[in-house]
Amino acid sequence: MSEIPPAGVEIDERFHITGRRAIVFTLVGYIRDGEQFTVLFGDKLFVTQLLDVDEDDDLLIFDLSGAETLNHALLRADRCRLAARPAGIHVHFDVGEVSEIEYDGRPAFAVALPTAIVRLQRRESFRIATPVLNPVRFFISRADGKEQGFSACDISVTGIGLLAAAAPDLLSGELLERCRIRLPDEAQDMPVAARVQRIIALESRSGERQWRIGVHFLNLSPAVENRLQRYIARLERERHEHA
């Protein structure tokens, strides 16, 4: 747990997952995957399991400690941090006071949903520019059934940079639940969920405008992450060969 920054340390906003829908979607993914979290408060900690997200009351429900002294101490704390390492990526979020409830016939803890989840990418992951002539393509399926396609300018195992010639019909923080990544020369697209991180308008010296869209991946499956890592490694190898 020492690699997770302590409370109060400012972390670049690009590592923050914000917005209620995105937070709920992310937490539900951790619950589905059975990720173990560590609860940290004061000088105490214990390992727990996230049990459920109560969307009606905006609550996160998680399991008690096996030690009653720790349970009583947490109920007296004014805030705590939950931290985990799904797929080796550091994740943590801070929440306020915890209450004890009954869930599925047994006692459990409940706390208000966090306002942000910090997801720190692996130290070994990096972003690499993608080809212009044979680009990576990113497709977004909208609720109305329409699909938008974008060419990528760079990619990593945590996100992708997209380019658009016209102002995109997207919002910063928007959750994109049905997307596809198409790698050059590969027949099968990769399904992903993502969140729009930022949208920036760029202007060239000739006055032409272009929009840069930063997209952050959510809960990549191991299979998709492995394919991305192989593609990034191939790009890096080809760059060195032609350097």
Side-chain angles (χ1 to χ4, degrees):
M1 302 305 302
S2 60
E3 293 182 56
I4 294 178
V9 172
E10 187 175 346
I11 298 172
D12 194 311
E13 67 176 11
R14 72 179 183 272
F15 298 118
H16 287 68
I17 298 172
T18 57
R20 182 181 179 278
R21 288 190 65 206
I23 287 171
V24 168
F25 183 84
T26 302
L27 292 174
V28 168
Y30 295 148
I31 293 169
R32 181 193 64 231
D33 296 339
E35 298 292 347
Q36 285 195 328
F37 278 74
T38 300
V39 184
L40 304 101
F41 54 106
D43 59 352
K44 301 176 176 60
L45 59 84
F46 65 85
V47 176
T48 189
Q49 197 93 21
L50 305 186
L51 300 175
D52 201 359
V53 173
D54 183 342
E55 294 193 58
D56 292 334
D57 294 324
D58 287 334
L59 293 175
L60 172 65
I61 301 168
F62 59 96
D63 209 359
L64 273 63
S65 163
E68 282 300 316
T69 54
L70 289 175
N71 293 334
H72 291 314
L74 180 58
L75 289 171
R76 293 193 299 269
D78 58 358
R79 63 187 303 100
C80 66
R81 170 172 290 190
L82 280 82
R85 293 189 61 190
I89 296 174
H90 299 297
V91 168
H92 73 261
F93 53 88
D94 296 325
V95 291
E97 293 183 352
V98 174
S99 60
E100 186 173 331
I101 64 168
E102 183 174 305
Y103 174 79
D104 203 19
R106 59 191 178 96
F109 286 131
V111 68
L113 291 176
T115 56
I117 297 174
V118 177
R119 186 176 184 272
L120 296 173
Q121 66 182 10
R122 293 180 176 132
R123 292 180 178 178
E124 68 270 25
S125 70
F126 63 97
R127 190 173 294 268
I128 189 169
T130 50
V132 176
L133 297 180
N134 194 16
V136 175
R137 296 282 289 167
F138 189 81
F139 300 93
I140 301 170
S141 296
R142 310 311 296 258
D144 59 5
K146 295 181 180 178
E147 187 172 69
Q148 293 175 279
F150 300 89
S151 293
C153 55
D154 57 51
I155 195 168
S156 74
V157 295
T158 59
I160 189 169
L162 309 174
L163 293 175
D169 182 22
L170 295 169
L171 297 173
S172 181
E174 183 176 354
L175 180 64
L176 308 172
E177 298 185 39
R178 297 186 303 278
C179 305
R180 295 183 291 118
I181 302 172
R182 179 174 297 167
L183 298 179
D185 307 319
E186 293 196 14
Q188 188 175 6
D189 293 351
M190 295 178 285
V192 297
R195 179 173 57 89
V196 179
Q197 195 73 24
R198 59 174 57 83
I199 301 173
I200 303 173
L202 306 173
E203 189 167 319
S204 67
R205 290 185 178 180
S206 63
E208 292 181 342
R209 299 199 80 185
Q210 193 175 47
W211 279 260
R212 165 72 183 264
I213 308 157
V215 174
H216 180 76
F217 300 139
L218 299 175
N219 301 322
L220 283 186
S221 70
V224 169
E225 186 169 334
N226 286 339
R227 285 181 64 186
L228 287 178
Q229 287 174 334
R230 288 197 300 269
Y231 176 70
I232 291 168
R234 178 161 62 88
L235 284 183
E236 183 68 9
R237 187 171 59 252
E238 291 173 353
R239 298 276 165 85
H240 285 304
E241 289 174 353
H242 294 91

